[in-house]
Amino acid sequence: VERFVEVPKKSSSTMAADSPVWKACKPFATGSMAGMFATCCIQPIDMVKVRIQLLAGTAEAAGPLSIAGTMLKNEGIGAFYTGLTAGLTRQVVYTGARLGL
């Protein structure tokens, strides 16, 4: 007489959490995502800062709010995110490694 023992199946989310590969990669992935989120939040402020630096000593350098308004009026919302891909790439490599190790 053969007996079969039913083995409970694990859900895919439980299997992923138990995976040694995921346990090794998780700090890198979460570090990279945290860095990318921070870059997306700070990029508009950084672009206004760069414009202030570029316009220093000119009549257009009235202040950060006027520069931001001029950027929005003349170039649109995309102007605040110029160079975002370079910042995101940096965060994946640098912050991912720094927080992952």
Side-chain angles (χ1 to χ4, degrees):
V1 176
E2 293 183 41
R3 287 194 205 177
F4 293 101
V5 177
E6 188 175 326
V7 177
K9 293 184 178 181
K10 291 184 175 182
S11 68
S12 61
S13 64
T14 304
M15 290 175 61
D18 293 340
S19 168
V21 174
W22 174 242
K23 285 182 182 179
C25 294
K26 186 177 178 181
F28 293 97
T30 55
S32 295
M33 289 188 294
M36 291 189 309
F37 180 76
T39 296
C40 289
C41 293
I42 205 70
Q43 183 72 19
I45 298 166
D46 193 50
M47 284 306 301
V48 172
K49 177 201 66 150
V50 168
R51 295 289 176 100
I52 290 170
Q53 292 170 337
L54 290 173
L55 295 173
T58 65
E60 292 105 22
L65 294 178
S66 66
I67 289 174
T70 303
M71 285 174 64
L72 187 61
K73 184 176 121 185
N74 295 340
E75 302 170 53
I77 195 77
F80 293 98
Y81 290 95
T82 302
L84 182 64
T85 54
L88 293 177
T89 303
R90 177 189 184 276
Q91 293 301 332
V92 167
V93 175
Y94 175 72
T95 308
R98 186 167 54 100
L99 295 178
L101 294 176

